[in-house]
Amino acid sequence: MTERPDTYDFTLPETEQPEGPFDVPAPPAQPAPPAHEPEEELLPLYLRHMEPPPGARCYGTLSYNRRSRCWVVKADPSVTELCKRLFPGSAGAKRGEARFTAHRRMVADLCWLMLRFPLQVAMRDLARWEEAVAEARRFAVRQEQAARMPQLAEPPEGAFEGKLMPFQQEGLAFLLAHDRCLLADEMGLGKTVQALACLASEKLFPALIVPPPHLTRNWREEALRFLRLNGRLPRVHIITGLKPYDLPEADLYIMHYLLLRGWKETLPALPFRCVIFDEAQELRHAGTEKYSAASLLSESCQRVYGLSGTPIYNRGGEIWNVINILDFHFLGDWESFTREWCYGYGNNIVAKPELLGDYLRREGLMLRRTKEQVLKELPPKRRLVQELDWNDAVYAKLMAPVLPQVLRWKNDAALTRQEKALLEETISQRARQATGIAKAPFVCQFVRAMLEAGEKVLLFAHHHEVMDLYRQELRSYHPGFITGRESAGEKERAAARFMEGKTDLLCVSLRAASGLNLQRATCVVFGELDWSPAVHAQAEDRAHRIGQQDSLLCYYLVAPAGSDASMQEALGLKVSQFVSLMGDRPQTQAEAEAAASVARRHVERIAEEMAGKT
């Protein structure tokens, strides 16, 4: 394995960018492996010997259509009619013509066909054809090697900090064996960790990560936690703004989907060795600048991975669009896909989704595991801390009226101990509320993704104002609410709606969860934090009860600033890991005093921050 340099050139190119990867002249053809090399034995017979015997009849011509990005066979009707019978996707509107998508699998099929019906390759396309055949051969060898590879893999020591579970080792082996594929594990099974392990194993730097906006910070934290490059932390740069600029040297670049359109012409020219599309279902709608930018980026990159817990949709157009980004025309063109996989030409509903899923898995394009399949490898309760983005401007606006109280707490020596304690509590509560409001839209984005993945979610928060934002943002999911403002009957009906499957989202106040049995939940999400670990443990146990057959996921969503930093300290939490206090026991007096001490330091931190801004 060759060592990668520590520096990369990410200055914007001064020359005009090419229009796209398919408009660039084909690179010089790379010869296929000689017959005496071991790789030759891995090739199917029809990719080993391609030359027709001397004097063999030529049945037609083969040329490349740049506009349609396909190989065109023009031959006797008997040949093209056979093409259309054997390869339905090759059907064209013209008699005596068949079209084959310029995909490495289809090129291999063409090679097989030409053993029986030799074709004359157009001189202008000869170099392109030789390279296409060479790539088809390389791909066939890789596929055969992948089938023979160990089913489990471990990242190299010193490059990756962490221990993979067996099913994650299987996921790593899958990613290492395939250069363009979709890791479609259910939410909570560690797709991020498996992807980072792949980057570490293959040294695929510089790499670009494209997540939804609310997960950019989490990717940065996870990369710093797990990756090591020659004994040092990776250099991570989060790309901001729609206007391209000279990027600093880094090993990992992170850019959320909404920025892709602004960098559409720039990204394909940068030397990324790998691009990872997190929550790849974001690309299920074609025809947008975001989709076009992702397509150009994918075509320019050596390795392309998609991560998604919801990969197969009933609407064929959506899964076809996602797969098209990962491996162009793997499923053929749109017309042939809808004709063969859907309910007819132009129809966008997949007739047999399970059959399509089996095909994607069999061909090495998708790996999917569910929690049910790997349940024996999972602990009964898993706690994950995930840092989200937040709105700094909203936080600052909400905290501005608190400034006089902060100055009085800091400077008024006449305050009694009791008065100062009451003022501390007021300031701390206002900061908690401002933090919850500032991150609420991003919490809702996270929960929305979980619901779309089929999770049954308990969403915990503390402030009524935050709950009101959840109600507004998530109203299309018809959530239930237990916030302390409801009557006993309303509380019972909300819990019953959730347990009976009439809604998959129940929003519960942190201090109103006692006595509830909500074991239908597969996921617990804390949109806000409490100072007491026991409060969180009690909230988790609303779902983690007798009758819970799943491995329960408990997400603690934290903001990068505001009150969350101090509250993580009080709870024994650090971003992306648990350091302890979350036990199934009441809070001790010592822990309560420690929490109070941290709360006091929280107000001191607020005072320091606000003093610096005045």
Side-chain angles (χ1 to χ4, degrees):
M1 188 180 296
T2 57
E3 293 291 332
R4 297 294 299 171
D6 280 344
T7 59
Y8 318 103
D9 183 11
F10 271 87
T11 55
L12 296 182
E14 297 180 359
T15 57
E16 184 179 354
Q17 298 297 316
E19 295 181 9
F22 289 95
D23 300 310
V24 180
Q30 298 182 22
H36 64 272
E37 290 190 357
E39 285 82 356
E40 182 76 10
E41 299 177 3
L42 301 178
L43 287 171
L45 291 175
Y46 56 86
L47 283 176
R48 294 190 193 183
H49 308 290
M50 303 247 347
E51 294 298 324
R57 177 186 173 187
C58 181
Y59 285 81
T61 62
L62 180 67
S63 60
Y64 183 74
N65 186 306
R66 287 162 176 77
R67 183 174 182 180
S68 301
R69 303 177 186 178
C70 65
W71 290 98
V72 180
V73 174
K74 293 184 178 180
D76 296 346
S78 61
V79 176
T80 55
E81 189 269 339
L82 182 63
C83 288
K84 295 170 187 178
R85 277 196 286 129
L86 292 174
F87 309 103
S90 69
K94 296 181 180 180
R95 183 171 58 252
E97 180 178 299
R99 297 188 169 211
F100 289 77
T101 297
H103 189 277
R104 47 202 178 185
R105 286 179 172 85
M106 295 299 289
V107 168
D109 290 339
L110 260 175
C111 292
W112 174 81
L113 180 75
M114 289 169 66
L115 288 177
R116 172 63 180 84
F117 300 104
L119 301 170
Q120 179 66 49
V121 181
M123 186 60 65
R124 67 184 177 86
D125 297 321
L126 187 58
R128 184 186 292 271
W129 172 248
E130 290 175 348
E131 170 56 22
V133 172
E135 172 57 23
R137 286 174 168 170
R138 291 192 293 268
F139 178 72
V141 168
R142 286 198 302 271
Q143 287 294 96
E144 184 61 29
Q145 289 173 335
R148 303 182 185 190
M149 281 179 64
Q151 297 303 303
L152 302 179
E154 279 277 19
E157 291 186 13
F160 183 81
E161 298 286 324
K163 180 68 176 176
L164 300 181
M165 287 181 275
F167 75 89
Q168 294 173 329
Q169 295 173 14
E170 179 188 14
L172 173 58
F174 174 79
L175 294 175
L176 295 177
H178 301 91
D179 56 359
R180 290 175 175 268
C181 59
L182 178 67
L183 182 60
D185 289 344
E186 261 190 347
M187 181 173 281
L189 296 187
K191 294 186 290 294
T192 299
V193 172
Q194 294 172 70
L196 290 173
C198 179
L199 295 181
S201 298
E202 293 290 286
K203 299 184 179 179
L204 296 174
F205 304 106
L208 175 66
I209 311 294
V210 185
H214 64 285
L215 295 180
T216 53
R217 292 180 183 272
N218 186 69
W219 268 98
R220 177 182 181 275
E221 296 302 324
E222 294 292 87
L224 293 175
R225 176 187 175 192
F226 286 108
L227 295 181
R228 296 294 180 270
L229 279 72
N230 299 323
R232 63 172 172 82
L233 291 172
R235 298 165 297 179
V236 182
H237 176 72
I238 297 179
I239 299 174
T240 59
L242 287 168
K243 186 177 180 180
Y245 56 89
D246 288 343
L247 297 176
E249 291 180 0
D251 306 296
L252 204 63
Y253 296 85
I254 304 173
M255 164 191 275
H256 65 70
Y257 283 103
L258 300 181
L259 300 183
L260 282 176
R261 60 186 176 89
W263 290 72
K264 176 179 177 179
E265 303 298 330
T266 304
L267 292 177
L270 300 178
F272 299 120
R273 294 196 66 208
C274 179
V275 60
I276 296 173
F277 293 105
D278 189 21
E279 301 296 343
Q281 70 272 12
E282 291 278 335
L283 299 171
R284 64 184 182 270
H285 299 299
T288 65
E289 284 295 296
K290 174 178 73 172
Y291 188 88
S292 176
S295 180
L296 291 175
L297 173 61
S298 174
E299 290 294 340
S300 71
C301 205
Q302 175 185 350
R303 285 180 178 250
V304 183
Y305 297 124
L307 310 179
S308 174
T310 54
I312 300 294
Y313 291 82
N314 284 331
R315 294 191 174 275
E318 294 177 350
I319 187 60
W320 184 85
N321 287 333
V322 171
I323 297 301
N324 230 32
I325 291 291
L326 300 179
D327 201 348
F328 181 73
H329 275 197
F330 170 87
L331 293 173
D333 58 22
W334 171 246
E335 288 78 10
S336 61
F337 173 78
T338 56
R339 183 173 56 249
E340 299 304 320
W341 287 101
C342 302
Y343 282 104
Y345 180 84
N347 186 288
N348 67 349
I349 304 297
V350 175
K352 296 182 179 180
E354 68 285 351
L355 194 63
L356 177 57
D358 288 342
Y359 173 67
L360 295 175
R361 286 188 287 268
R362 186 173 66 251
E363 292 296 314
L365 199 83
M366 183 179 78
L367 177 66
R368 176 169 174 79
R369 281 79 55 83
T370 64
K371 284 183 287 186
E372 182 180 6
Q373 291 170 327
V374 300
L375 203 54
K376 292 181 180 179
E377 299 178 34
L378 298 176
K381 186 190 294 185
R382 290 170 290 154
R383 298 183 176 105
L384 302 170
V385 182
Q386 191 143 332
E387 184 172 304
L388 298 181
D389 210 339
W390 79 328
N391 192 319
D392 292 287
V394 167
Y395 180 79
K397 181 180 179 181
L398 292 172
M399 289 300 291
V402 185
L403 180 59
Q405 295 172 302
V406 173
L407 295 177
R408 184 182 174 211
W409 175 87
K410 185 177 181 181
N411 301 321
D412 191 345
L415 287 174
T416 66
R417 179 178 296 181
Q418 183 177 9
E419 288 173 334
K420 193 161 188 175
L422 289 173
L423 200 53
E424 279 178 4
E425 176 65 18
T426 300
I427 296 169
S428 180
Q429 284 293 342
R430 292 295 297 272
R432 285 181 63 193
Q433 183 187 76
T435 301
I437 292 173
K439 70 177 180 178
F442 302 95
V443 170
C444 291
Q445 288 180 27
F446 182 88
V447 170
R448 195 176 292 116
M450 303 196 78
L451 292 169
E452 290 178 358
E455 301 287 349
K456 286 77 175 175
V457 181
L458 296 182
L459 174 57
F460 287 95
H462 177 69
H463 295 92
H464 291 317
E465 294 82 358
V466 174
M467 283 290 193
D468 290 340
L469 290 172
Y470 294 168
R471 188 187 301 271
Q472 179 181 346
E473 291 280 337
L474 298 168
R475 60 184 178 276
S476 62
Y477 296 96
H478 310 292
F481 283 85
I482 300 175
T483 65
R485 293 183 289 189
E486 298 81 13
S487 67
E490 289 171 332
K491 178 178 177 179
E492 290 177 6
R493 286 192 290 274
R497 282 185 62 226
F498 180 78
M499 291 301 293
E500 293 168 5
K502 295 178 180 177
T503 179
D504 288 334
L505 175 60
L506 185 61
C507 301
V508 186
S509 172
L510 279 164
R511 301 267 175 168
S514 60
L516 294 172
N517 294 312
L518 301 169
Q519 60 267 35
R520 179 172 175 265
T522 60
C523 195
V524 172
V525 177
F526 292 98
E528 289 190 278
L529 303 180
D530 193 280
W531 289 109
S532 169
V535 169
H536 293 87
Q538 184 185 72
E540 291 176 353
D541 285 345
R542 297 313 94 204
H544 194 246
R545 306 178 71 79
I546 295 174
Q548 171 62 266
Q549 302 297 322
D550 207 345
S551 175
L552 186 68
L553 265 173
C554 303
Y555 278 103
Y556 289 72
L557 306 184
V558 300
S563 63
D564 279 358
S566 295
M567 298 187 81
Q568 286 180 80
E569 183 181 346
L571 294 170
L573 296 170
K574 290 185 179 179
V575 173
S576 296
Q577 63 185 36
F578 262 88
V579 184
S580 66
L581 288 180
M582 305 301 297
D584 298 326
R585 56 179 174 77
Q587 186 180 31
T588 66
Q589 181 63 31
E591 289 167 352
E593 292 174 358
S597 174
V598 176
R600 195 170 302 113
R601 291 199 298 274
H602 174 217
V603 177
E604 293 172 357
R605 186 180 298 175
I606 293 172
E608 292 172 3
E609 290 176 353
M610 299 192 78
K613 295 178 181 179
T614 57

